[in-house]
């Protein structure tokens, strides 16, 4: 239906808003894509601009995934494939934003926002896994990879079939977007949280 198509497009356009890029620029650090890891996510904003802008980016990137998903739930219901598509497209928007020539972020915060809304128990488990991973290893990307690696199991145990399908697409994409991080982790050169990249 036209309403569904419009809602899915809006979810993509919201997900594509590069809050990290905007906030880093407002904070006077210039184009974040040329600094640190070059990523537009909260980790790199923290690394290059500081704690407050990093936190703002985290909240807004989680928020856009959560908002797009919440809108889907309100309009089409919890288990609707249209809601799943809106959740997925907001995530894809962050990864492949039309505003930035389709070169976007890695989807950790936006993905968490999606799952926090779609399946709150799983979302919280994933956030908890990120925190445990971050405390253990002090590496943001590794914490994210641990959290998203656990996601299919969490969805299987506590989620819904629709969210499991979303996870089956989101998780490989998060890993794909972290391929350079994975290389650096294996080489032992991935920067730790709190250190400059
Ligand atoms: O949110 C992305 C994070 O997992 C890694 O970011 O800047 O260290 O590549 P970064």
């Amino acid at each position: 239906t036209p309403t569904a198509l419009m809602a899915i497009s809006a979810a993509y356009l919201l997900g594509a808003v590069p809050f990290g890029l905007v906030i880093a620029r407002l904070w006077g650090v210039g184009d974040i894509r040329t600094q640190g890891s070059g990523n537009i996510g909260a980790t790199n904003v923290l690394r290059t601009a500081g704690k407050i802008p990093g936190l703002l980016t985290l909240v807004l990137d989680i928020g856009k995934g959560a908002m797009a998903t919440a809108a889907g739930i309100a309009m089409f219901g919890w288990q609707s494939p249209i809601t799943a598509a809106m959740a997925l497209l907001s995530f894809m928007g962050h990864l492949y934003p039309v505003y930035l020539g389709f070169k976007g972020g890695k989807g950790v915060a936006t993905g968490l926002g999606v799952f926090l809304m779609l399946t709150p128990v799983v979302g919280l488990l994933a956030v908890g896994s990120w925190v445990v991973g971050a405390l253990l290893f002090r590496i943001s990307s590794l914490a994210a990879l641990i959290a998203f690696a656990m996601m299919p199991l969490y969805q299987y145990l506590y989620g819904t079939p629709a969210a499991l399908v979303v996870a089956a697409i989101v998780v490989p994409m998060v890993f794909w977007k972290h391929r350079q991080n994975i290389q650096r982790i294996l080489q032992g050169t991935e920067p730790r949280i709190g250190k400059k990249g």
Side-chain angles (χ1 to χ4, degrees):
T1 73
T3 319
L5 278 177
M6 273 191 26
I8 291 168
S9 310
Y12 167 80
L13 291 173
L14 176 61
V17 176
F19 285 116
L21 182 89
V22 173
I23 289 166
R25 194 164 279 165
L26 289 175
W27 238 261
V29 303
D31 190 335
I32 186 116
R33 293 169 296 179
T34 63
Q35 306 197 40
S37 68
N39 192 40
I40 60 166
T43 301
N44 202 35
V45 176
L46 167 71
R47 188 182 286 134
T48 59
K51 281 184 188 160
I52 294 170
L55 186 67
L56 267 175
T57 304
L58 179 68
V59 169
L60 288 168
D61 279 353
I62 289 176
K64 68 187 184 182
M67 285 268 294
T69 308
I73 293 168
M75 291 171 72
F76 306 103
W78 213 267
Q79 288 273 43
S80 160
I82 301 166
T83 302
M86 287 174 70
L88 199 57
L89 264 288
S90 71
F91 170 81
M92 295 292 215
H94 182 80
L95 267 56
Y96 304 103
V98 60
Y99 318 113
L100 303 182
F102 301 100
K103 289 196 180 79
K106 300 178 184 173
V108 175
T110 308
L112 289 175
V114 160
F115 289 116
L116 279 168
M117 211 39 85
L118 204 56
T119 44
V121 175
V122 173
L124 289 171
L125 282 172
V127 170
S129 304
W130 189 95
V131 171
V132 171
L135 289 173
L136 281 177
F137 300 107
R138 306 256 159 214
I139 299 175
S140 179
S141 57
L142 183 53
L145 291 168
I146 292 168
F148 280 82
M150 301 299 291
M151 188 75 80
L153 177 66
Y154 295 156
Q155 288 293 4
Y156 176 72
L157 292 175
Y158 302 105
T160 65
L164 185 56
V165 172
V166 174
I169 300 168
V170 163
V171 174
M173 302 215 62
V174 167
F175 272 74
W176 171 248
K177 279 283 182 170
H178 280 80
R179 57 199 186 279
Q180 288 174 0
N181 300 84
I182 293 169
Q183 249 173 30
R184 287 194 294 266
I185 291 166
L186 294 174
Q187 290 164 352
T189 57
E190 181 75 325
R192 304 206 172 238
I193 295 167
K195 303 243 166 66
K196 296 267 165 191

